[in-house]
Amino acid sequence: MNKYRLTWLLTSVACVGLIATQARARDLTVRVNRWLEFRTLSGSVQYASNGRTQRARVGARINAVGDSIRTGRRSSARLAVDTGIGFVTVAENTNLRISRLRTTPSGGRVTELDILQGQARLQVRPFTNRDSRLNIRTPAGVSGVRGTEFGVSVQASGSTGVATLEGAVVSSAEGVSVDVPANFQTLIVPGEPPLPPEPLRDDPRLDIEVLQTTNRDGVQIVELVGSTDPVNLFQINGEGQTVSKEGRFDLEISFPDDQQVLATVTTPLGTEQVYELVVP
């Protein structure tokens, strides 16, 4: 009996030690100093943290799942990802949110950011730890990197353009993953796998086919038909519009008092062109 009790006691101590070790490993994934810090700001930028929304300032940090950033019209922000992992440049009218920010037991750093709408460009250094990763999630899919410079654009519909300038990106949706190497781009439409990558264009050109005034039930409206690269963001008077997989749009807009429509096209890498359309 004494030998049995001794064996039972040693086994219990070993189990307690194992549980304590596992608990410490779990704590390591939670109790870490991870953050995104505002480095430069332009225009109206707000962030939400701990249930409070406030105006962003240089040096302020967000560091918890659910913390978010919102940029206004003609506004932008550049953020550093804690210990020099990389930088994120957030363009105007963009909503970005932290979905994961942790450290693995091996010391790897896992960063996951949601971009619900808008455009962002990322510069990420090569990771030395194989468990480290940075993922950008949008309503259409996920794009992951381990060291690269790339950009994403998210339309109001959730359609996502991905463009890689250096390194490589893996874009995934609907169980399909495609490699987007340097100087290539792809489009992800919600509910569909990523399209095969094409050579990078970074082209903010806007082709207008129809710009005319039409009467609808006694109300004057503007009919606007045309196209742009389907990976681009397209805004009319600061409001995001949806283009088809072919890049086409057919819109009806309220007649402006000054007879001008402001159209903005932004590529996934952040190249922007503003068009002042005069309504005839």
Side-chain angles (χ1 to χ4, degrees):
M1 286 293 291
N2 289 340
K3 183 183 293 187
Y4 172 78
R5 288 176 179 172
L6 178 60
T7 302
W8 178 83
L9 179 60
L10 291 175
T11 302
S12 299
V13 170
C15 289
V16 170
L18 178 61
I19 293 171
T21 300
Q22 292 174 338
R24 285 194 296 270
R26 285 195 301 270
D27 288 345
L28 183 60
T29 67
V30 176
R31 297 175 185 173
V32 292
N33 187 20
R34 301 291 317 282
W35 36 259
L36 272 67
E37 180 181 287
F38 290 99
R39 292 293 178 86
T40 61
L41 295 165
S42 176
S44 174
V45 181
Q46 294 186 321
Y47 71 98
S49 180
N50 296 321
R52 294 179 55 202
T53 299
Q54 52 194 308
R55 187 178 182 86
R57 67 184 188 283
V58 173
R61 294 177 177 180
I62 58 175
N63 57 11
V65 171
D67 286 359
S68 62
I69 301 164
R70 184 182 294 274
T71 56
R73 190 173 179 182
R74 314 311 270 170
S75 303
S76 63
R78 180 175 170 83
L79 300 101
V81 184
D82 51 44
T83 56
I85 287 176
F87 295 90
V88 182
T89 301
V90 184
E92 67 174 341
N93 297 326
T94 298
N95 187 355
L96 179 148
R97 182 177 61 200
I98 295 175
S99 56
R100 182 173 295 183
L101 202 62
R102 68 182 182 89
T103 298
T104 68
S106 68
R109 293 176 179 264
V110 178
T111 306
E112 293 189 358
L113 306 175
D114 293 345
I115 298 180
L116 307 180
Q117 185 175 343
Q119 185 272 331
R121 181 165 173 165
L122 295 93
Q123 296 170 290
V124 185
R125 66 166 174 78
F127 295 142
T128 56
N129 188 304
R130 62 185 179 86
D131 290 335
S132 293
R133 63 182 184 272
L134 188 150
N135 294 334
I136 297 295
R137 301 195 312 180
T138 76
V142 179
S143 294
V145 301
R146 288 182 59 86
T148 188
E149 182 170 358
F150 76 111
V152 296
S153 57
V154 186
Q155 300 178 23
S157 65
S159 291
T160 301
V162 180
T164 306
L165 189 62
E166 296 179 4
V169 174
V170 178
S171 293
S172 305
E174 300 300 314
V176 177
S177 296
V178 299
D179 292 328
V180 188
N183 297 312
F184 275 77
Q185 65 184 38
T186 188
L187 178 70
I188 314 174
V189 177
E192 300 182 16
L195 293 179
E198 299 179 334
L200 177 65
R201 291 183 286 271
D202 196 33
D203 182 6
R205 184 171 50 208
L206 180 67
D207 294 323
I208 301 297
E209 300 170 10
V210 177
L211 176 60
Q212 64 183 18
T213 303
T214 303
N215 191 293
R216 286 275 190 277
D217 300 323
V219 178
Q220 275 192 319
I221 61 172
V222 177
E223 185 178 1
L224 181 63
V225 179
S227 64
T228 187
D229 192 316
V231 299
N232 291 341
L233 282 184
F234 179 44
Q235 299 181 75
I236 294 294
N237 297 329
E239 294 187 7
Q241 307 297 320
T242 296
V243 301
S244 70
K245 286 195 296 185
E246 297 72 35
R248 297 195 57 79
F249 55 86
D250 187 342
L251 306 173
E252 292 185 350
I253 307 163
S254 298
F255 189 86
D257 294 336
D258 58 1
Q259 290 188 264
Q260 284 192 345
V261 174
L262 196 66
T264 305
V265 179
T266 309
T267 72
L269 290 176
T271 301
E272 180 184 284
Q273 181 67 51
V274 178
Y275 299 85
E276 295 182 354
L277 308 178
V278 178
V279 180

